[in-house]
Amino acid sequence: MLREFLQTWQTLVGGLLLTGRHFGRAGTRRNQLGIQAAGYFDRPDGPVTVQYPRETVPTPVNGRYQLHLEEDDCIVCDKCARICPVDCIDIDGFKAVDDLGTTSDGSKKRLELATFDIDLAKCCFCGLCTTVCPTECLTMTPEYDYSHFEREALNFEFATMTPEAEAEKRAKLAESLANKQAATQVGTGNKKKIVLKTRPQDADA
């Protein structure tokens, strides 16, 4: 019984002495360094508490954080949505009638981007979507603090097309397709008439 009592006091006094030594060394505050900085693990002294939000910890350059879409470089290939393991990317596009130009890497843009939503509440930050993107328009930014009070606010909408503009463009596309279909039917009818006139039995008659 006496042995356990002495061990208890020895442990208690040792812990208090250790706390006192660290408290005495806390007068010199450590500067915040990124985990990739030299000597990051060689600074045992000084307080480590970050005075957030006035101070932030430097983020590693190869970290996985908030996703960002460069809309002008998106060709609506849907590769990112198909490879996403948690289905957090929602894309909707349709064929463009007007010339949309090219992306920054020279890729031809043929589809209008109506919807590009990423639900970061579902995202597991695997980075697969950024890997398969052919134009590198989908990237991960150093931003990691995007907390919200409502879950719906974590659904980031990157497409800037308004519902009115989408309706107008879709109507224009439908009109263009209808005109092409009518022209195809007229051309097919003319070809049939020409074939009927050049049949041998018709010529003999």
Side-chain angles (χ1 to χ4, degrees):
M1 183 70 180
L2 181 60
R3 180 185 300 176
E4 287 80 1
F5 179 79
L6 293 176
Q7 287 179 348
T8 301
W9 274 103
Q10 183 180 4
T11 303
L12 178 61
V13 172
L16 290 175
L17 291 176
L18 179 63
T19 302
R21 286 196 298 270
H22 281 284
F23 184 77
R25 297 172 183 173
T28 303
R29 199 176 191 284
R30 301 190 310 193
N31 295 327
Q32 293 297 330
L33 295 178
I35 194 173
Q36 296 176 332
Y40 177 81
F41 295 101
D42 299 332
R43 301 180 303 155
D45 299 331
V48 296
T49 302
V50 177
Q51 300 299 320
Y52 186 84
R54 295 186 298 274
E55 298 177 345
T56 57
V57 177
T59 56
V61 295
N62 57 346
R64 297 173 179 175
Y65 308 106
Q66 180 177 336
L67 288 164
H68 173 72
L69 175 75
E70 195 65 37
E71 184 182 7
D72 292 337
D73 286 339
C74 182
I75 58 175
V76 202
C77 63
D78 202 34
K79 289 184 178 180
C80 54
R82 283 181 288 172
I83 202 172
C84 180
V86 293
D87 295 329
C88 69
I89 302 178
D90 181 24
I91 301 177
D92 182 25
F94 54 93
K95 187 176 180 180
V97 177
D98 302 323
D99 184 15
L100 299 180
T102 60
T103 63
S104 59
D105 67 347
S107 300
K108 181 68 175 177
K109 298 177 65 174
R110 296 182 174 86
L111 299 175
E112 298 276 6
L113 181 61
T115 303
F116 197 113
D117 297 348
I118 301 180
D119 191 349
L120 290 179
K122 299 179 182 178
C123 181
C124 63
F125 304 95
C126 63
L128 291 175
C129 56
T130 63
T131 303
V132 299
C133 182
T135 60
E136 298 183 356
C137 66
L138 193 59
T139 57
M140 282 189 167
T141 67
E143 180 66 31
Y144 62 88
D145 183 13
Y146 45 89
S147 57
H148 295 279
F149 290 101
E150 300 294 336
R151 184 185 181 282
E152 292 74 13
L154 290 172
N155 185 56
F156 287 74
E157 301 177 356
F158 292 101
T160 57
M161 184 182 298
T162 62
E164 294 77 13
E166 180 183 353
E168 181 181 353
K169 291 178 181 292
R170 287 187 182 274
K172 191 174 182 180
L173 173 62
E175 181 182 358
S176 176
L177 292 176
N179 293 336
K180 289 183 179 179
Q181 185 177 4
T184 302
Q185 291 176 352
V186 172
T188 304
N190 291 336
K191 289 181 181 179
K192 289 182 179 179
K193 292 179 180 179
I194 294 174
V195 171
L196 291 174
K197 291 181 179 179
T198 57
R199 288 168 56 187
Q201 54 269 35
D202 293 341
D204 295 339

